[in-house]
């Protein structure tokens, strides 16, 4: 059976980008077609300046939203990364496999380190090494597939390199995974800055649709989306990035076989495109918001899902991580 692993970090409120780029395919297909494990990767939220109480709150909120979006604990395993020690156990071995140069080439490291420095902050060492922890997240479970948005593809490539290098040096220990990207909306862009990814930790929020935004806020954000200087509605990411972003969001929300270029033909004004996109987003998010409110009223249920999830995850990860400890030359405890 195909093993599937993916995660989401509690660095902010979940966005439409997280939903269309990752969570929706976890819910609609991944949890039904393999042994799927999904994780709130809270340790990754500590790689940038953070408020402890907020990380704790956002971790719970992320888990609740994943359930609200439709993850079903009878079909998949949902847990919190820090509840399973195998992730950090394995990360050290992979730090001993990766190189300093490889880490410094990671685009997210370069971008986030620049952002931290620009605001006078210091860059945490864990920001540099976080892709190794992400590799450990994936390899510990012997995942075959990692469904992610486009921004994480480079980290999955690194994970593949580390798995192959480790296996070659020390004998087979890891499955070599592959990234699986959605057909549309693999990189939802910020509505106010369509050249930047919609990211949940970004400070400027007017171009970011959060899953918990109420309907009027969603409408306002989409209607105010930056479009392009022409007036023709065409799907061209290079010359019309704002319009292309709206068309991708609309296609992803409509689902089925909707394609952004085909949808473009049905519009002769930006206003009509924005209106339909806003309504499509509102309809996609409505059941998630409603279910989230219900789940907030039963915190004991979410706790139990996470407890059982961590227990199962530990059982899956431990033999692989123990095997890697032996393979690399560490003396097993007696
Ligand atoms: N804009 C996006 N479009 C498509 N997919 C996206 N993902 C994230 N943003 C988009 C995918 O969602 C999953 C979880 O993402 P994450 O928690 O690792 O990243 P984030 O939401 O981008 O969080 P941050 O803290 O705001 O990160 P930065 O600063 O890097 O933008 C992943 O599968 C991701 O691909």
């Amino acid at each position: 059976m195909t093993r599937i692993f993916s995660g989401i970090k509690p660095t902010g409120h979940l966005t439409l980008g997280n939903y269309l780029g990752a969570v929706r395919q976890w819910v609609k297909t991944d949890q039904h077609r393999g042994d799927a494990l999904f994780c709130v990767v809270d340790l990754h939220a500590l790689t940038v300046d953070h408020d402890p109480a907020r990380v704790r709150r956002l971790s719970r909120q992320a888990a609740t939203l994943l359930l609200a979006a439709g993850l079903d604990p009878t079909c998949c395993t949902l847990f919190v990364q820090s509840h399973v020690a195998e992730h950090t156990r394995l990360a050290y071995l992979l730090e001993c496999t990766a190189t300093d140069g490889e880490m410094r080439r990671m685009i997210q490291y370069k971008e986030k380190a620049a952002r931290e420095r620009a605001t006078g902050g210091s860059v945490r060492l864990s920001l540099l090494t976080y892709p190794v922890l992400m590799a450990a997240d994936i390899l510990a479970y012997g995942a075959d597939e990692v469904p992610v948005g486009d921004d994480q593809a480079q980290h999955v490539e690194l994970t593949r390199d580390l798995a192959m290098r480790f296996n070659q040096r020390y004998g087979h220990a890891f499955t070599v995974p592959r990234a699986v990207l959605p057909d549309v909306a693999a990189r939802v862009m910020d509505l106010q800055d369509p050249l930047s990814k919609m990211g949940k930790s970004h400070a400027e929020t007017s171009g970011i649709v959060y899953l918990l935004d109420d309907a009027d806020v969603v409408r306002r954000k989409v209607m105010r989306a930056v479009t392009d200087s022409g007036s023709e509605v065409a799907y061209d990411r290079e010359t019309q990035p704002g319009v292309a972003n709206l068309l991708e969001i609309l296609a992803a929300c409509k689902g089925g076989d909707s394609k952004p270029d085909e949808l473009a033909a049905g519009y002769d004004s930006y206003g009509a495109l924005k209106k339909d996109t806003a309504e499509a987003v509102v309809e996609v998010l409505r059941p998630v918001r409603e279910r989230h409110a219900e789940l907030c009223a039963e915190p004991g249920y979410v706790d139990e899902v996470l407890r059982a999830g961590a227990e199962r995850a530990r059982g899956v990860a431990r033999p692989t991580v123990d095997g890697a400890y032996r393979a690399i030359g560490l003396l097993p405890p007696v």
Side-chain angles (χ1 to χ4, degrees), residues 16-17 20-22 24 149-150 182-188 237 248-249 252 260:
L16 185 65
L20 297 179
R24 203 173 56 143
D150 176 61
D183 294 337
V184 277
R187 185 179 284 259
V188 176
R237 273 211 168 268
E248 288 211 15
I249 292 171

Side-chain angles (χ1 to χ4, degrees), residues 141-275:
Y141 295 97
D144 303 288
E145 294 184 9
V146 189
V148 284
D150 176 61
D151 61 314
Q152 291 296 341
Q154 191 189 33
H155 292 159
V156 180
E157 265 314 301
L158 173 77
T159 303
R160 290 170 57 83
D161 291 345
L162 296 181
M164 287 189 273
R165 194 176 305 155
F166 192 103
N167 288 347
Q168 202 178 25
R169 278 187 195 159
Y170 309 115
H172 184 84
F174 301 122
T175 302
V176 180
R178 67 183 188 93
V180 180
L181 273 57
D183 294 337
V184 277
R187 185 179 284 259
V188 176
M189 308 308 272
D190 189 297
L191 296 175
Q192 287 299 316
D193 176 8
L195 297 179
S196 301
K197 188 191 80 163
M198 187 183 281
K200 72 171 105 60
S201 63
H202 300 177
E204 180 47 63
T205 62
S206 54
I208 301 173
V209 173
Y210 297 103
L211 301 194
L212 291 177
D213 278 345
D214 68 33
D216 285 341
V217 174
V218 173
R219 285 191 188 98
R220 198 165 56 239
K221 286 179 177 175
V222 177
M223 292 308 290
R224 288 184 186 164
V226 168
T227 40
D228 311 290
S229 49
S231 58
E232 190 200 352
V233 177
Y235 179 62
D236 185 336
R237 273 211 168 268
E238 291 290 310
T239 59
Q240 299 203 36
V243 170
N245 193 34
L246 290 173
L247 286 164
E248 288 211 15
I249 292 171
L250 179 60
C253 289
K254 277 178 170 273
D257 289 333
S258 300
K259 298 210 167 42
D261 51 345
E262 290 168 10
L263 288 174
Y267 290 96
D268 53 16
S269 79
Y270 292 162
L273 171 63
K274 286 180 177 177
K275 196 158 175 295

